[in-house]
Amino acid sequence: MQAALERFLKYVTYDTASAYEEQDYPSTQNQKVFAQMLAQECRQLGLGDVMVDDYGYLTATLPATPGYEGAPAIGFLAHMDTSPDLSGANVRPRVVENYDGGDIPLDPEQGIVLSPGRYPSLTAYVGQTLVVTDGKTLLGADDKAGIAAIMEAMAHLLAHPEIAHGKIRIGFTPDEEVGNGVKYFDAQGFGVDFGYTLDGGALGEFEYENFNAAQAKVSVKGVSSHPGSAKDVMVNAALIAAEYAMALPQGETPANTQGYEGFYHLREQSGTVERAQLTYILRDFEEDGLQRRKAMMLEVAKRLNARYGEGTVAVELQDQYANMAQRLEEHPQVKHLALEAMAQLGVTPVVMPIRGGTDGAMLSTRPDGFPCPNLFTGGHNAHGRYEYLVAESLEMAAKVICRIVHLAAQAD
């Protein structure tokens, strides 16, 4: 399945960064361009029902092997966009064969180096093939590696009809990185019993629990005046916003938490004397914990309004997604198939919580959705210039897909 790497190297040349705060869907039109290219590739492979809808969702079908139409219908999903946190334009991937375990210069002129001293995960891949950036952009393994794994798995199944399977549906989504990946996705029309997102990291990672998530927008109103005559007149919104930020638990930020610990993350801030705004994302693995965090956001605003005047600080809260763990507990076979597939392929499963969310998390908890945990792709250090992909792990992800569908057909 070495063609998976070739697919990936082609896909990352497409700039598909999504954008925050855009009203259009998808938020950038380049994602639709990429979707149309993938649709043509699906048709060339021989997949059926290939469609790119008005929202940019790409779906396609691999029909069941004759005689296995009663097997579970399984979906495999990945997202087409890359994070807007760093440029995804003019990505120049570099393949490092037989990695020697040392530093990998990315941009020597700027002194940008991918080092095992800073990223010790590299030490697990000595002798393997890595794909790295040129230090100027992200790579796009999140999540074009997932797309490459799914496409390669479909190509392999089509080339090997002796591998029995039920109906397979694939879905590629836009705008996942800005929290809207399945906003308009027709989950019922997708027509599967369960699914898997290919949006994970290191070899063997398997994730079926994730954060409960909300967003908070904090708006601060001030009063401007000439600084020379501001005594008892000026109300500095920018300073009040800073006060608000410092009133939240300082140890509960992404940089200070791990594992099952939740956080408050100040994603964006702007401000002048008259008006300021803070944008937070709130995360907690427990629903009660998320509610406590939302209550804290409101309580801080209440205290500042008591000090500076009612209406000075306003907080707008919006729930984003929920923990999929409960839905997966109700469908243990979905977890069992993935774990058994990896075991048969000699991959040690690494079961861990997602410190974030995926399209699958949202689909798992929607009333019209379906159970949809998350599988590895081989990508590391997402959203930054130090992102890299392990080619052997990518190939194994495609093999896991093929083994899952075959096991499901046999179980039926």
Side-chain angles (χ1 to χ4, degrees), residues 7 28 108 187 195 216 231 235 238 243 280-281 286 326 334 361 373 402 404:
R7 294 181 192 280
T28 55
K231 174 70 172 175
V235 179
E243 191 174 346
Y280 282 87
I281 59 173
E286 301 296 330
Q326 181 176 347
V334 181
C402 294
I404 285 172

Side-chain angles (χ1 to χ4, degrees), residues 13-320:
T13 62
Y14 285 78
D15 177 11
T16 58
S18 48
Y20 294 114
E21 308 297 340
E22 287 292 329
Q23 298 304 309
D24 291 338
Y25 194 95
S27 59
T28 55
Q29 289 303 302
N30 283 348
Q31 296 179 73
K32 281 192 172 182
V33 173
F34 186 48
Q36 291 294 347
M37 185 281 294
L38 290 171
Q40 182 61 26
E41 195 170 302
C42 286
R43 296 184 185 101
Q44 291 171 349
L45 282 178
L47 296 174
D49 304 325
V50 180
M51 181 180 73
V52 178
D53 70 11
D54 292 342
Y55 295 113
Y57 293 110
L58 166 57
T59 54
T61 304
L62 179 58
T65 303
Y68 289 87
E69 291 83 359
I74 305 177
F76 294 95
L77 300 97
H79 64 88
M80 296 179 289
D81 63 319
T82 59
S83 171
D85 294 343
L86 188 67
S87 175
N90 301 311
V91 173
R92 295 182 175 87
R94 178 161 63 94
V95 177
V96 179
E97 296 182 342
N98 194 25
Y99 171 57
D100 63 7
D103 289 353
I104 303 174
L106 302 180
D107 185 345
E109 292 184 1
Q110 298 297 321
I112 298 173
V113 177
L114 180 60
S115 169
R118 184 174 183 182
Y119 298 105
S121 61
L122 284 163
T123 60
Y125 304 114
V126 174
Q128 298 192 42
T129 298
L130 309 183
V131 185
V132 301
T133 77
D134 66 355
K136 297 178 174 64
T137 69
L138 48 70
L139 178 62
D142 181 13
D143 186 28
K144 286 167 182 167
I147 296 173
I150 293 169
M151 293 293 282
E152 184 58 24
M154 297 305 102
H156 186 76
L157 292 170
L158 283 160
H160 294 275
E162 71 276 9
I163 302 175
H165 57 81
K167 184 177 81 169
I168 301 171
R169 292 277 281 162
I170 67 170
F172 299 146
T173 64
D175 279 3
E176 190 270 355
E177 295 290 2
V178 293
N180 292 322
V182 290
K183 184 176 182 178
Y184 300 108
F185 188 74
D186 182 3
Q188 287 188 329
F190 195 50
V192 299
D193 296 296
F194 55 88
Y196 301 88
T197 50
L198 274 289
D199 193 15
L203 178 70
E205 281 189 11
F206 181 47
E207 300 152 327
Y208 50 82
E209 51 185 332
N210 61 280
F211 278 137
N212 296 285
Q215 177 175 270
K217 291 186 177 181
V218 181
S219 301
V220 185
K221 295 180 180 179
V223 177
S224 182
S225 70
H226 191 286
S229 55
K231 174 70 172 175
D232 298 327
V233 176
M234 179 183 289
V235 179
N236 192 321
L239 287 177
I240 296 172
E243 191 174 346
Y244 184 100
M246 295 306 296
L248 295 173
Q250 295 302 294
E252 298 182 27
T253 66
N256 293 302
T257 54
Q258 61 183 344
Y260 286 90
E261 298 170 330
F263 56 73
Y264 304 84
H265 174 45
L266 177 56
R267 185 177 64 77
E268 188 175 354
Q269 60 181 339
S270 61
T272 63
V273 172
E274 282 206 330
R275 194 169 297 275
Q277 181 167 294
L278 308 170
T279 302
Y280 282 87
I281 59 173
L282 314 178
R283 300 292 187 262
D284 204 289
F285 280 95
E286 301 296 330
E287 173 60 25
D288 288 349
L290 183 65
Q291 297 305 322
R292 286 193 297 272
R293 293 182 190 282
K294 291 194 289 186
M296 172 63 78
M297 301 291 288
L298 297 173
E299 174 60 28
V300 172
K302 182 179 178 180
R303 294 203 301 261
L304 291 174
N305 282 332
R307 185 178 309 162
Y308 296 107
E310 192 62 35
T312 300
V313 181
V315 178
E316 179 184 347
L317 295 164
Q318 180 180 1
D319 288 332
Q320 294 177 303

